[in-house]
Amino acid sequence: MQTSARDGKLEVAGFFNAASVLSVDLIVRLLVLLLAAGIAAQAAAPDCVGSVSVANFEISVRQDADGPALPLRKINLLASGYEVIYQPLRPEKLDDDAEVALVAVSSGSNSELTVLEPKDGRKQATWSLPARTSVLAVVFGPKGLDYKKIKSLVKKDQQMISQLADYAEKTAQTEILIEALLTGRGSQNFDAALRGISAQSGASLTRLDKKQPADQQLALLMKTLNPALSSYDPLAPEPRRMQQSVGVAAAVAGLFFGNTVGLAAGGVAMLDNFRTLLFPNTEFRSAFAQSASANGLALCAKREASKARTRWAYLWAVRVPDSRAPAIKLADDIHLPVGVKAAVPAEVSDWRFMARMREWSLQKGNQQIPVSVQPDPEKKMLQVDLTGLQADAGVYKLSGKWDWQTVEAVGTLHLHQIPDLRKAVLAPASEDRLVEGLGPAGVVLSGPDFRFVEKVAFRPVENREAPPVEVPFDLAGGQLKTSINTATLKRGLYLLAITQAGGTTQEIPFQVLPPHPVIEGLPLRANLGEHAQPLRLRGSGLDRIEKIVSQSADIDFKSPGQLLVTLHENVKKGDRIDLMASVKNVHAPIVFAGAIRVAGPRPRIGATRASLPEGIGIALLPSELPAGLFTSFSVQVQHADEQPSFRLGCRESTRSLTAIDLKPGEQTSSARLRAAGLGNLFLSFDPGSVGQPGCTVVATVETASAGVSDPHELGRVVRLPVIDSFELTDEKLREGVFAGWIKGQDLETIEKTGWDPHNGVLVEQLPSAVQGQKQVLKIAMPWPAPAPKSPLYVWLRGETEGRLTTAKY
């Protein structure tokens, strides 16, 4: 079994592979002792807490007399000829007869046990190993060791060799647990250690409730482990073996209850063999070593009384891996941030012994920096602790010590300083995609090195209590790519939180935009041959448009609702023109593909010629159209390749009655339209049906493909009175003025009357109705008339000159 306790972590590796022999009564007494003698972890624990300190010494090994020595517990291979050095630390406290000897178990399938001669326990001593050794035991006799009596008894005993190896494993387990408990490290990794022991023993361990009484915890522990215990009689010829290692029970008890383990479980049978075979009249007691100084050890044993005339001898054993250094190959292209703990994938020839590698360091050129490395065999990782490391960015080699050998891992580590994410920026295209209600939007950040990013999340700025929404991300091409679903996000400011290895987080602001502008009714139509033709826009978000351009036209964006478009000379009928709109807070123009359709020239009304009705009786001014009388026009139309629609209306909307829409060949009660040859139309209509007096009648022509022509003015509607008769009477109204009577219709329109267009007399009365719609109007006329049968002139209301009529007196 291999164990290690480093940097606050307790690791248990390997497995118990040998049966142990122990009496039921002894294991119970051992566990009761463990429960009763609980100790608290201390910053600096004294020697042998809860047990007896037998001696303090250093045990080290060197390859030869001139080489450096290493502590025995750090050695991985003991070769023939290696020197084992014993150095007492407190010789003044030892008895004059104190002696120390070594017991070595050779490596290989034909292992042999050799007892090396005892030496003075108060002085430095050195032994040379006779063979490659897998287990080395230290036998310490406070009152001396009778070497002459036992040397003749040394013989090959395969059973004892196996027991000694098992004892060494149990001792190492005990020492690791005690070390962890005393330094306060065991509790930090208790669950991990418990799982490791469970895996080693095959038992399903139940977590104990430390609030329960000690006897209940003990009962549950024993029930869970359920070792098959049987009594052991050392005098019996064939003692029965246990089926499960009670060393597991002792180890778990030590973990739970924080007790020093005074006796390594499973050592009783072996100690009996030692007593009977090697050291007669000697009572052996198991011991464990506890760190007492940098490389010093305190040999600790359980407190118990000794028998009269019996020497005590304490046995402490160490099993070495007996292995060459493992080969280590790092994964390719490993990049690590300085200042954090990082997991490095690695291939190792034998993960079992990686915990025994020591003095790890990073090397770049002549620079060598110590670093903490914890192997993780389960994940095939090396946990490299770079926190607090004073190292520059660069390429480093990783190496560790295996005995006196430096083992360099194949491969390199690229170290980097933690990047400053304050320089990170969202790509403009990414910002444009973050639109309210749009759905998943790909976001790309660039700037610093993102390779050490571990988490990405976002939250709204206005609600700092809102939990961050974590999003997946991908690192490729030196960029950070993620996706934010804006389907349920409201427009506004947000923060993108990027967390790097080591826990540093940087928040990058971004904005969720309102929906992009929409132009309805596309495509719009633009005609060839037009300059700055207006196009009206309809849609949503148009107020956010700041500018519109096109590669095929000059665009004047006058207002959110209108464009003035001048087509370039190279465009032709049928082309589709894209519009590019610059929108507030949007980097790239929003393209409205094919937004304008190029049509041919608009229809155009050319020359018109009017044909006025006969017998009106009152003179018409130029461009006047008499209401109530049909007026005819000859109309020339250009660019009307398809059947046009003809519309009449008033330029002044306040005077409009109704628009008249006709196609060639159609007629209504007030208008009719006929085709009169290619590009010629003949129109006849009542102007009074189009608009009230004062209405300026305009005509337009429209085709489905080319649109509407500019309005063409036909004339102004005027309502003229109808004069059926004029009579001048001899009724004198005043000097030189006589009364007259006009009979007809619409006589209320007459404001003055006279004999010439410049001098008129005001009409003072309103007309009177006679015979249906007929009216009579009394007027005042100067006398005498300029000439016999002079014609009558009338002034319509608001006019400054009189109109000639056909009426005469």
Side-chain angles (χ1 to χ4, degrees):
M1 182 199 73
Q2 300 300 319
T3 60
S4 67
R6 302 178 60 181
D7 298 326
K9 294 184 178 179
L10 181 62
E11 299 180 2
V12 183
F15 58 93
F16 295 103
N17 54 11
S20 301
V21 182
L22 198 61
S23 68
V24 175
D25 133 55
L26 184 55
I27 187 63
V28 172
R29 281 190 283 113
L30 170 63
L31 291 174
V32 171
L33 175 64
L34 294 175
L35 289 168
I39 61 171
Q42 305 174 29
D47 296 348
C48 301
V49 176
S51 57
V52 175
S53 177
V54 177
N56 290 74
F57 52 80
E58 290 182 1
I59 295 289
S60 56
V61 179
R62 62 189 176 198
Q63 292 177 299
D64 52 58
D66 298 326
L70 293 175
L72 173 62
R73 292 202 290 190
K74 295 182 178 179
I75 294 296
N76 299 293
L77 187 146
L78 292 172
S80 174
Y82 278 19
E83 293 185 345
V84 180
I85 305 166
Y86 164 83
Q87 176 67 52
L89 297 181
R90 299 177 184 175
E92 70 279 0
K93 293 188 176 182
L94 298 178
D95 193 271
D96 292 345
D97 297 328
E99 287 186 303
V100 60
L102 298 183
V103 178
V105 177
S106 62
S107 303
S109 57
N110 298 319
S111 299
E112 293 185 358
L113 187 149
T114 303
V115 179
L116 303 183
E117 72 276 13
K119 296 192 177 183
D120 190 341
R122 297 186 304 166
K123 299 179 181 179
Q124 177 176 319
T126 301
W127 295 268
S128 179
L129 294 177
R132 182 166 170 171
T133 301
S134 61
V135 177
L136 187 67
V138 177
V139 181
F140 187 83
K143 298 295 185 179
L145 298 171
D146 194 347
Y147 179 73
K148 292 181 181 180
K149 292 183 178 180
I150 57 106
K151 189 173 182 179
S152 60
L153 298 177
V154 174
K155 62 181 180 179
K156 181 178 180 181
D157 187 326
Q158 196 65 37
Q159 177 178 331
M160 185 188 298
I161 291 173
S162 174
Q163 290 173 348
L164 184 61
D166 186 48
Y167 177 74
E169 290 186 357
K170 303 302 183 292
T171 301
Q173 167 82 355
T174 301
E175 291 170 349
I176 292 297
L177 297 176
I178 292 173
E179 183 72 18
L181 290 166
L182 290 177
T183 57
R185 294 179 294 189
S187 59
Q188 297 178 13
N189 295 278
F190 172 77
D191 290 337
L194 188 59
R195 288 193 299 271
I197 293 175
S198 172
Q200 295 161 18
S201 66
S204 178
L205 299 182
T206 302
R207 187 181 182 91
L208 298 184
D209 185 354
K210 299 177 73 173
K211 297 180 181 179
Q212 296 295 322
D215 56 344
Q216 294 184 25
Q217 297 185 55
L218 175 60
L220 179 59
L221 178 65
M222 295 303 294
K223 179 180 179 181
T224 303
L225 292 171
N226 192 24
L229 298 175
S230 60
S231 60
Y232 169 73
D233 183 357
L235 300 178
E238 294 181 359
R240 293 183 297 275
R241 304 296 183 184
M242 291 169 37
Q243 300 300 314
Q244 185 174 3
S245 172
V246 289
V248 177
V252 174
L255 263 180
F256 273 112
F257 309 119
N259 307 100
T260 36
V261 180
L263 178 65
V268 173
M270 184 200 64
L271 297 183
D272 280 328
N273 279 328
F274 259 57
R275 182 179 68 243
T276 58
L277 297 178
L278 302 181
F279 299 94
N281 299 320
T282 300
E283 180 174 338
F284 278 93
R285 297 187 177 183
S286 65
F288 63 89
Q290 185 176 327
S291 298
S293 60
N295 293 318
L297 301 174
L299 192 65
C300 305
K302 179 182 176 183
R303 292 189 179 96
E304 54 186 343
S306 63
K307 298 177 182 179
R309 297 187 301 279
T310 300
R311 290 180 180 178
W312 290 4
Y314 295 92
L315 177 69
W316 172 62
V318 174
R319 184 173 190 173
V320 296
D322 194 31
S323 172
R324 302 292 180 182
I328 307 169
K329 181 180 179 181
L330 305 180
D332 296 333
D333 198 28
I334 299 296
H335 295 262
L336 303 177
V338 176
V340 302
K341 295 181 179 180
V344 177
E347 296 179 8
V348 178
S349 59
D350 194 337
W351 281 97
R352 294 176 302 165
F353 304 132
M354 279 297 292
R356 296 187 61 85
M357 291 284 295
R358 58 186 175 82
E359 297 181 23
W360 291 91
S361 64
L362 293 170
Q363 185 171 350
K364 183 178 71 169
N366 296 326
Q367 184 183 16
Q368 194 164 356
I369 306 172
V371 65
S372 172
V373 176
Q374 292 291 337
D376 188 342
E378 183 178 349
K379 297 181 180 179
K380 308 300 183 186
M381 295 280 190
L382 297 179
Q383 303 293 338
V384 182
D385 188 355
L386 301 177
T387 56
L389 193 70
Q390 300 298 319
D392 298 329
V395 180
Y396 290 79
K397 303 289 290 187
L398 179 66
S399 63
K401 290 288 189 180
W402 182 268
D403 294 348
W404 295 271
Q405 176 188 358
T406 298
V407 179
E408 186 175 277
V410 176
T412 55
L413 297 178
H414 300 259
L415 300 191
H416 304 264
Q417 298 299 324
I418 293 288
D420 185 0
L421 294 184
R422 290 177 297 179
K423 299 178 181 178
V425 293
L426 270 72
S430 298
E431 293 183 312
D432 292 351
R433 286 191 289 267
L434 293 170
V435 177
E436 178 184 79
L438 190 61
V443 174
V444 178
L445 288 91
S446 59
D449 188 349
F450 295 102
R451 76 177 74 222
F452 304 122
V453 171
E454 295 182 340
K455 185 176 73 172
V456 178
F458 71 90
R459 64 171 179 82
V461 170
E462 62 183 16
N463 185 5
R464 290 190 170 270
E465 302 300 323
V469 179
E470 190 167 346
V471 292
F473 65 93
D474 179 61
L475 303 177
Q479 297 177 320
L480 186 151
K481 299 180 180 179
T482 185
S483 178
I484 296 177
N485 190 348
T486 63
T488 59
L489 298 183
K490 301 297 183 183
R491 67 191 72 180
L493 292 175
Y494 290 77
L495 292 174
L496 189 66
I498 306 175
T499 302
Q500 296 189 100
T504 59
T505 299
Q506 181 63 44
E507 292 183 326
I508 311 298
F510 69 91
Q511 185 175 11
V512 173
L513 301 171
H516 289 331
V518 174
I519 300 178
E520 299 174 353
L522 297 180
L524 306 175
R525 180 178 56 225
N527 297 91
L528 294 173
E530 302 282 342
H531 177 75
Q533 55 187 308
L535 300 182
R536 191 161 298 279
L537 301 181
R538 294 180 295 107
S540 59
L542 302 182
D543 57 326
R544 298 180 56 231
I545 297 178
E546 298 175 333
K547 183 180 180 182
I548 295 180
V549 297
S550 173
Q551 294 182 345
S552 301
D554 295 330
I555 307 293
D556 186 359
F557 185 56
K558 301 296 292 184
S559 68
Q562 184 173 327
L563 302 177
L564 291 180
V565 178
T566 301
L567 299 175
H568 292 171
E569 292 182 355
N570 60 341
V571 301
K572 57 185 180 298
K573 180 180 178 180
D575 287 350
R576 299 291 290 266
I577 295 176
D578 297 341
L579 294 181
M580 282 73 76
S582 299
V583 178
K584 182 179 181 181
N585 295 327
V586 179
H587 297 85
I590 296 177
V591 178
F592 296 95
I596 295 179
R597 177 177 61 85
V598 178
R602 285 188 301 147
R604 179 174 177 273
I605 297 178
T608 59
R609 186 173 62 178
S611 176
L612 299 176
E614 299 290 337
I616 295 178
I618 299 178
L620 288 173
L621 300 180
S623 300
E624 286 188 332
L625 303 176
L629 299 175
F630 271 76
T631 302
S632 297
F633 283 88
S634 174
V635 181
Q636 290 183 344
V637 179
Q638 300 173 358
H639 310 305
D641 298 335
E642 55 191 284
Q643 188 178 42
S645 294
F646 198 89
R647 167 170 286 204
L648 296 174
C650 285
R651 189 187 301 278
E652 304 84 3
S653 59
T654 56
R655 294 185 176 272
S656 179
L657 294 176
T658 181
I660 297 177
D661 290 295
L662 296 170
K663 292 183 182 299
E666 294 182 346
Q667 72 177 40
T668 67
S669 60
S670 58
R672 62 178 177 270
L673 184 67
R674 297 286 184 269
L678 184 63
N680 290 297
L681 298 175
F682 184 78
L683 171 68
S684 180
F685 72 103
D686 175 5
S689 65
V690 177
Q692 298 172 348
C695 161
T696 302
V697 178
V698 292
T700 58
V701 177
E702 180 178 5
T703 63
S705 62
V708 183
S709 69
D710 288 336
H712 182 84
E713 185 176 315
L714 297 181
R716 184 172 60 89
V717 177
V718 61
R719 184 167 295 278
L720 299 175
V722 177
I723 301 176
D724 295 333
S725 62
F726 166 52
E727 179 183 356
L728 185 62
T729 69
D730 56 2
E731 179 184 355
K732 186 177 182 179
L733 299 179
R734 56 184 176 272
E735 188 65 31
V737 178
F738 288 81
W741 292 92
I742 298 176
K743 186 177 180 180
Q745 298 178 36
D746 300 324
L747 302 181
E748 69 278 1
T749 60
I750 299 175
E751 184 179 28
K752 294 180 182 180
T753 57
W755 302 112
D756 60 66
H758 307 295
N759 299 295
V761 179
L762 184 65
V763 176
E764 297 180 351
Q765 295 184 10
L766 294 176
S768 300
V770 295
Q771 297 178 358
Q773 294 184 355
K774 296 296 183 179
Q775 297 173 315
V776 293
L777 177 65
K778 186 179 182 179
I779 63 174
M781 293 293 292
W783 188 259
K789 302 296 182 179
S790 292
L792 178 67
Y793 282 82
V794 297
W795 278 255
L796 302 184
R797 295 188 180 276
E799 293 183 345
T800 59
E801 288 191 358
R803 293 172 180 259
L804 176 65
T805 72
T806 58
K808 297 180 180 179
Y809 75 93

